[in-house]
Each structure stands twice: as C-alpha cells, then as structure tokens.
Amino acid sequence: MTTYHKRAALAALLAGLASAPALAVNGHYPPGIEGLGAATAPPEGVYYRGYLLHYDVDRFNDAGGDAAPGRNSGSVTALAHRFIWMTGQQFLGADYGVEAIIPTLDLRFDLDVAGGDRFSDKGVGDLFVGPVILGWHGERWDATFAAGHWFDTASFDADNPASVGKGYGTTMLTLGGVWHLDADRTWSLSALSRYEIKGKQDDTGITPGDSWLLEWGIGHRLANGLELGLVGYDAWQLEADRGAPTSDKAERHAVGAEAGYFWPAAGIMLKGAYYHEYDTRAGGLKGLESEGDAFRLQLTKFL
C-alpha cells in the first residue's frame, strides 16, 4: 500500500469512527445489555440495576460487510447505573414507573493504518432520563412500553473516535413482550425493541438516521432456579444520515447465550451473557462499523 493510499485509508477510518463509540453502534443504546425476560416491568418499588459490558472489536467493516485494511481493533468497557422507580400508580391499565441511567465508559482503539494510531477516552457518558415506563401483566405474558431521552451531556471531540459522548441527543421509544409457554412459566420467549430518533450533531452538521434494535431470547428455568437461554440482537438503520457523504444504512446482528439466577431472600438477580457478532455493515455517519464480541454482567437489587 502506498503512502497516499495509507493516508486515504486512515482518513476514511477516522471519518468512519469519529462521533460514534463502537459499543453504541445503533445510536445511544448499546445492544446486548438486556436479554431474557427484559420486557417484564418489576412490581412496585425502587430498584438499582448495574450493567457491566465489555466489547472487544475484532475488525471494522464497510457498507458491504468487508473488513477495512490493516489490523484494526479496540475495546469498550461500560458500567451503567440504572435507577427504576415503579410508583404503584396505574395508567391505561399498566403499572407506571420512571427511570434514569448514568453510564461510564472506557474506550480504546488501535488502528493499524498509516503506521498505527491509538485513540482513547473515558468518563461519564450521555445521561438518560425516562419519565414513562408502562408495564402490563397477564397470566402467561408481560408487556412493556417506555419513553425517554438521551441528553447530550458528555464530552465529545469530532477528531477523537473514542469520545465518550455522541455529540447529539436521542429520543428512545421502547416496546416489548414476554410470552410464557407453560403454566409454570419455565419456558419463555422474549423480545424488546428500541426505536431511536436522533438529533443533529452540531460539530459535524450531520443528523444520524432513525434506527431500530430488537433484542430477543428463548429461555428455560430449571428446577433449581437457574435460567438458561439463547439470546441475540438485530439492529437496522431505517433512514440515511442527513448531511453525510453516503446514503448507506448500518445494520448489526449477533447471537449468544445467557445464564441467570434470582435470590428472593436477598432481593438480588444476577445475569451473565456472551454475544458474537456475525454480520455488521456501515452507515453514512461512520463510514465503518465495528464487529466483535460482547460480554455482559447484569445485577439487579431490589431496594
């Protein structure tokens, strides 16, 4: 590769990565943080839920799913603190609640292009406030609707692809359900979708296109209380980025496994999951899309 082509490749890679941390590739919401039973709203009370997510980037793909030149890798480690209050009030026949999320991020990218470049950043990410959680419950089913906004509160640098902030705000709508296949609720099918409406990124003048993410799971609870299951996520960018040089739309697909256990006496639930991404394609804002493996631990404490 000539010096000119190396510089061109690096410029494309930086344009592809800037303004979009690799973990939250579909927008603000990071895929893979929810799994089995995620669409079941808890009963009345106050809850803390902590998410520890580590994402290893194996490569960066273009709009056709082909890897970018060179050995490009990275990692994202996130610890998100989520606070949920189910008020005990009802609206439209559903239990009503509110929530807030405070994420902390540590991002590192090693780019083996034009001699190699390293980028990193860490700190508190953009904050989320959700004034609406609605949870319905049936004999063999549960359903949830939620609405909230990711605020542009974190540090953002358009020249640093590892910035913890996005540089824009996002309104997020959530809808999902859990279906229990037997009266004892030992088998379940779950699906949780997130629709993201993104604002304009002032530093670049680009408005990322709306996107839709589906997290799904098939689970079975054993007699000893351990729940095991197959999980995955699929994400699609539904419209092209306004102001971007291309009309490409990103997408991302992964499959994995989850295990979880609930200790009723302690009011604690612990879940762990692994996801392998098998297909990612880039959109207009980023030009390139990361592909890798994610590991997640989720702790819920009933306060």
Side-chain angles (χ1 to χ4, degrees):
M1 181 181 290
T2 66
T3 300
Y4 170 80
H5 287 95
K6 286 182 178 180
R7 290 176 178 173
L10 177 59
L13 188 60
L14 293 181
L17 293 175
S19 76
L23 181 61
V25 294
N26 198 53
H28 273 87
Y29 181 79
I33 70 168
E34 299 287 2
L36 301 175
T40 300
E44 179 182 355
V46 179
Y47 303 85
Y48 166 77
R49 179 168 289 174
Y51 303 88
L52 177 61
L53 185 63
H54 181 77
Y55 178 64
D56 283 319
V57 181
D58 296 328
R59 54 191 262 182
F60 292 95
N61 294 344
D62 60 19
D66 297 321
R71 299 180 59 185
N72 307 294
S73 62
S75 68
V76 179
T77 301
L79 176 60
H81 306 279
R82 181 184 180 191
F83 301 92
I84 306 169
W85 176 32
M86 299 304 296
T87 64
Q89 305 298 313
Q90 288 204 330
F91 180 71
L92 299 178
D95 297 333
Y96 172 72
V98 297
E99 64 179 328
I101 302 174
I102 305 172
T104 59
L105 300 166
D106 185 349
L107 301 96
R108 303 173 187 274
F109 296 139
D110 292 317
L111 309 180
D112 185 22
V113 182
D117 290 83
R118 294 185 176 182
F119 300 89
S120 65
D121 193 15
K122 61 181 178 180
V124 178
D126 293 331
L127 304 182
F128 177 81
V129 176
V132 177
I133 300 176
L134 297 177
W136 293 267
H137 307 283
E139 184 177 350
R140 290 196 183 183
W141 60 270
D142 300 283
T144 296
F145 170 82
H149 189 79
W150 294 92
F151 290 89
D152 180 17
T153 57
S155 172
F156 171 74
D157 180 357
D159 295 324
N160 182 8
S163 290
V164 297
K166 287 287 190 177
Y168 59 86
T170 296
T171 297
M172 185 171 73
L173 305 176
T174 297
L175 181 65
V178 180
W179 296 267
H180 303 279
L181 305 183
D182 59 320
D184 293 332
R185 293 190 168 209
T186 60
W187 285 95
S188 67
L189 299 175
S190 61
L192 186 69
S193 63
R194 313 276 194 179
Y195 188 89
E196 291 186 310
I197 305 168
K198 307 178 184 72
K200 183 178 180 180
Q201 191 176 64
D202 292 333
D203 285 25
T204 64
I206 294 174
T207 301
D210 291 358
S211 56
W212 185 63
L213 168 73
L214 177 67
E215 295 179 284
W216 54 266
I218 305 171
H220 178 56
R221 190 180 70 253
L222 305 178
N224 62 4
L226 180 66
E227 186 174 25
L228 303 173
L230 180 71
V231 292
Y233 55 79
D234 299 275
W236 297 269
Q237 183 178 350
L238 302 181
E239 59 181 10
D241 299 336
R242 294 188 295 276
T246 73
S247 59
D248 296 327
K249 300 176 184 178
E251 60 180 271
R252 172 175 300 276
H253 307 278
V255 67
E258 177 177 299
Y261 193 82
F262 175 48
W263 290 268
I268 292 177
M269 178 182 295
L270 182 64
K271 295 182 178 182
Y274 161 77
Y275 293 85
H276 171 68
E277 292 180 333
Y278 58 87
D279 184 27
T280 68
R281 298 168 189 269
L285 170 64
K286 294 182 290 180
L288 293 170
E289 189 86 358
S290 65
E291 183 173 299
D293 299 289
F295 304 85
R296 182 248 302 163
L297 284 176
Q298 179 190 110
L299 171 69
T300 302
K301 172 61 178 174
F302 306 153
L303 304 177

Coordinates of all heavy atoms in Angstrom, one line a residue, residues 34-42 49 82 133-137 141-146 174-180 189-194 214-217 271:
E34 N -29.6 -6.1 27.5 CA -30.8 -6.8 28.0 C -30.9 -8.2 27.4 O -30.4 -8.4 26.3 CB -32.1 -6.0 27.8 CG -32.1 -4.7 28.4 CD -32.3 -4.7 30.0 OE1 -32.4 -5.8 30.5 OE2 -32.3 -3.7 30.6
G35 N -31.6 -9.1 28.0 CA -31.8 -10.5 27.4 C -33.1 -11.1 27.8 O -34.1 -10.6 27.5
L36 N -33.0 -12.2 28.5 CA -34.2 -13.0 28.8 C -35.1 -12.2 29.8 O -34.6 -11.6 30.7 CB -33.8 -14.3 29.5 CG -32.9 -15.3 28.7 CD1 -32.5 -16.5 29.5 CD2 -33.6 -15.7 27.4
G37 N -36.4 -12.2 29.5 CA -37.3 -11.5 30.3 C -37.2 -10.0 30.5 O -37.7 -9.4 31.4
A38 N -36.5 -9.4 29.5 CA -36.2 -7.9 29.6 C -37.4 -7.1 29.5 O -37.4 -5.9 30.0 CB -35.2 -7.5 28.6
A39 N -38.5 -7.6 28.9 CA -39.7 -6.8 28.7 C -40.7 -6.9 29.8 O -41.9 -6.6 29.7 CB -40.4 -7.2 27.4
T40 N -40.3 -7.4 31.0 CA -41.2 -7.6 32.1 C -40.8 -6.4 33.1 O -39.7 -6.4 33.7 CB -41.0 -8.9 32.8 OG1 -41.3 -10.0 31.9 CG2 -41.9 -9.0 34.1
A41 N -41.8 -5.5 33.3 CA -41.5 -4.4 34.3 C -41.7 -5.0 35.7 O -42.6 -5.8 36.0 CB -42.6 -3.3 34.1
P42 N -40.8 -4.6 36.7 CA -40.9 -5.1 38.0 C -42.1 -4.6 38.8 O -42.7 -3.6 38.4 CB -39.6 -4.6 38.6 CG -39.3 -3.4 37.9 CD -39.7 -3.6 36.5
R49 N -30.2 -1.2 39.0 CA -29.7 -2.3 38.1 C -28.3 -1.8 37.5 O -28.2 -0.7 36.9 CB -30.7 -2.5 36.9 CG -30.2 -3.5 35.9 CD -31.3 -3.9 35.0 NE -32.3 -4.8 35.7 CZ -33.4 -5.2 35.2 NH1 -33.8 -4.9 33.9 NH2 -34.2 -6.0 35.9
R82 N -28.4 2.1 36.5 CA -29.8 2.4 36.1 C -30.7 2.4 37.4 O -30.6 1.4 38.2 CB -30.3 1.4 35.1 CG -31.8 1.6 34.7 CD -32.2 0.5 33.7 NE -33.6 0.6 33.3 CZ -34.2 -0.4 32.6 NH1 -33.7 -1.5 32.4 NH2 -35.5 -0.2 32.3
I133 N -42.5 4.6 32.1 CA -42.5 3.1 32.0 C -43.9 2.6 32.2 O -44.5 2.9 33.3 CB -41.5 2.5 33.0 CG1 -40.1 3.0 32.8 CG2 -41.5 1.0 32.9 CD1 -39.1 2.5 33.9
L134 N -44.4 1.8 31.3 CA -45.7 1.2 31.5 C -45.6 -0.3 31.4 O -45.0 -0.8 30.4 CB -46.7 1.7 30.4 CG -47.0 3.2 30.4 CD1 -47.9 3.5 29.3 CD2 -47.6 3.6 31.8
G135 N -46.0 -1.0 32.4 CA -45.9 -2.5 32.4 C -47.2 -3.2 32.6 O -47.9 -2.9 33.6
W136 N -47.6 -4.0 31.7 CA -48.8 -4.8 31.7 C -48.4 -6.3 32.1 O -47.4 -6.8 31.6 CB -49.6 -4.8 30.4 CG -50.1 -3.5 30.0 CD1 -51.4 -3.0 30.3 CD2 -49.5 -2.4 29.3 NE1 -51.5 -1.7 29.8 CE2 -50.4 -1.4 29.1 CE3 -48.2 -2.3 28.7 CZ2 -50.1 -0.2 28.5 CZ3 -47.9 -1.1 28.0 CH2 -48.8 -0.1 27.9
H137 N -49.3 -7.0 32.8 CA -49.0 -8.3 33.2 C -50.3 -9.2 33.0 O -51.4 -8.8 33.4 CB -48.6 -8.4 34.7 CG -47.5 -7.4 35.0 ND1 -46.2 -7.7 34.7 CD2 -47.5 -6.2 35.6 CE1 -45.4 -6.7 35.1 NE2 -46.2 -5.8 35.6
W141 N -48.2 -13.8 30.1 CA -47.5 -12.8 29.3 C -47.2 -11.5 30.1 O -47.9 -11.2 31.1 CB -48.3 -12.4 28.1 CG -49.6 -11.9 28.4 CD1 -50.8 -12.6 28.5 CD2 -50.0 -10.5 28.6 NE1 -51.9 -11.7 28.8 CE2 -51.4 -10.4 28.9 CE3 -49.2 -9.3 28.6 CZ2 -52.0 -9.2 29.1 CZ3 -49.9 -8.1 28.8 CH2 -51.3 -8.1 29.1
D142 N -46.2 -10.8 29.7 CA -45.9 -9.4 30.2 C -45.6 -8.5 29.0 O -45.0 -9.0 28.0 CB -44.7 -9.5 31.2 CG -45.0 -10.4 32.4 OD1 -45.7 -9.9 33.3 OD2 -44.4 -11.5 32.4
A143 N -45.9 -7.3 29.1 CA -45.6 -6.3 28.0 C -45.2 -5.0 28.7 O -45.6 -4.6 29.8 CB -46.9 -6.1 27.2
T144 N -44.3 -4.3 27.9 CA -43.7 -3.0 28.4 C -43.6 -2.0 27.3 O -43.3 -2.3 26.2 CB -42.3 -3.3 29.0 OG1 -42.4 -4.1 30.1 CG2 -41.7 -1.9 29.5
F145 N -44.0 -0.8 27.7 CA -43.7 0.4 26.8 C -43.0 1.4 27.6 O -43.3 1.6 28.8 CB -45.0 1.0 26.3 CG -44.8 2.3 25.6 CD1 -44.4 2.4 24.3 CD2 -45.0 3.5 26.3 CE1 -44.1 3.6 23.6 CE2 -44.8 4.8 25.6 CZ -44.3 4.8 24.3
A146 N -42.0 2.1 27.0 CA -41.3 3.1 27.7 C -40.8 4.2 26.8 O -40.7 4.0 25.6 CB -40.0 2.5 28.4
T174 N -39.5 2.5 23.6 CA -39.3 1.0 23.9 C -40.6 0.3 23.8 O -41.6 0.8 24.4 CB -38.6 0.8 25.2 OG1 -37.3 1.4 25.2 CG2 -38.5 -0.6 25.6
L175 N -40.6 -0.9 23.2 CA -41.8 -1.7 23.3 C -41.4 -3.2 23.2 O -40.5 -3.6 22.4 CB -42.7 -1.4 22.0 CG -44.0 -2.2 21.9 CD1 -45.0 -1.9 23.1 CD2 -44.7 -2.0 20.6
G176 N -42.0 -4.0 24.1 CA -41.5 -5.4 24.1 C -42.5 -6.3 24.9 O -43.5 -5.8 25.5
G177 N -42.3 -7.6 24.8 CA -43.2 -8.5 25.5 C -42.4 -9.8 25.8 O -41.4 -10.2 25.2
V178 N -43.0 -10.5 26.8 CA -42.5 -11.9 27.2 C -43.7 -12.8 27.2 O -44.8 -12.5 27.7 CB -41.9 -11.9 28.6 CG1 -41.4 -13.3 29.0 CG2 -40.7 -10.9 28.7
W179 N -43.5 -13.9 26.5 CA -44.6 -14.9 26.4 C -44.1 -16.2 27.1 O -43.0 -16.8 26.8 CB -44.9 -15.2 25.0 CG -45.5 -14.1 24.3 CD1 -46.8 -13.7 24.1 CD2 -44.8 -13.0 23.6 NE1 -47.0 -12.6 23.4 CE2 -45.7 -12.1 23.1 CE3 -43.4 -12.7 23.4 CZ2 -45.3 -10.9 22.4 CZ3 -43.0 -11.6 22.8 CH2 -44.0 -10.7 22.3
H180 N -44.9 -16.7 28.1 CA -44.6 -17.9 28.8 C -45.3 -19.1 28.2 O -46.5 -19.1 28.1 CB -44.9 -17.7 30.3 CG -44.2 -16.6 30.9 ND1 -42.9 -16.6 31.4 CD2 -44.6 -15.3 31.2 CE1 -42.5 -15.4 31.9 NE2 -43.6 -14.6 31.8
L189 N -40.4 -16.9 25.7 CA -40.0 -16.2 24.5 C -40.0 -14.7 24.8 O -41.0 -14.2 25.3 CB -40.8 -16.5 23.3 CG -40.9 -17.9 22.8 CD1 -41.9 -18.1 21.7 CD2 -39.5 -18.4 22.4
S190 N -39.0 -13.9 24.6 CA -38.9 -12.5 24.9 C -38.4 -11.7 23.7 O -37.6 -12.2 22.9 CB -38.1 -12.2 26.1 OG -36.8 -12.6 25.9
A191 N -39.0 -10.5 23.6 CA -38.5 -9.6 22.5 C -38.6 -8.2 23.1 O -39.7 -7.8 23.6 CB -39.3 -9.8 21.2
L192 N -37.6 -7.4 22.9 CA -37.6 -6.0 23.4 C -37.0 -5.1 22.3 O -35.9 -5.3 21.8 CB -36.7 -5.9 24.6 CG -36.7 -4.5 25.3 CD1 -38.1 -4.2 25.9 CD2 -35.7 -4.4 26.4
S193 N -37.8 -4.1 21.8 CA -37.3 -3.3 20.7 C -37.1 -1.9 21.2 O -37.8 -1.4 22.1 CB -38.4 -3.3 19.6 OG -39.6 -2.7 20.0
R194 N -36.1 -1.2 20.6 CA -35.8 0.2 20.9 C -35.8 1.0 19.5 O -35.1 0.6 18.6 CB -34.4 0.3 21.5 CG -34.2 -0.6 22.7 CD -34.7 -0.1 24.0 NE -34.2 -0.9 25.1 CZ -34.5 -0.7 26.4 NH1 -35.3 0.3 26.7 NH2 -34.0 -1.4 27.3
L214 N -33.7 -4.8 18.0 CA -34.5 -5.9 18.6 C -33.6 -6.8 19.3 O -32.7 -7.4 18.8 CB -35.3 -6.6 17.5 CG -36.1 -7.8 18.0 CD1 -37.2 -7.3 18.9 CD2 -36.6 -8.7 16.9
E215 N -33.8 -6.9 20.7 CA -33.1 -7.9 21.5 C -34.1 -9.0 21.8 O -35.2 -8.7 22.2 CB -32.6 -7.2 22.8 CG -31.6 -6.2 22.6 CD -31.1 -5.5 23.9 OE1 -31.9 -4.7 24.4 OE2 -30.1 -5.8 24.4
W216 N -33.7 -10.3 21.6 CA -34.6 -11.4 21.8 C -34.0 -12.5 22.6 O -32.7 -12.5 22.8 CB -35.0 -11.9 20.4 CG -33.8 -12.3 19.5 CD1 -33.2 -11.5 18.6 CD2 -33.1 -13.5 19.5 NE1 -32.2 -12.1 17.9 CE2 -32.1 -13.4 18.5 CE3 -33.3 -14.7 20.2 CZ2 -31.2 -14.4 18.2 CZ3 -32.4 -15.8 19.9 CH2 -31.4 -15.6 18.9
G217 N -34.8 -13.4 23.1 CA -34.3 -14.5 23.9 C -35.3 -15.7 24.0 O -36.5 -15.5 23.9
K271 N -27.3 -11.8 36.2 CA -27.3 -12.5 34.8 C -26.0 -12.2 34.1 O -25.4 -11.2 34.3 CB -28.5 -11.9 34.0 CG -29.9 -12.1 34.4 CD -30.9 -11.5 33.5 CE -32.3 -11.8 33.9 NZ -33.3 -11.3 32.9

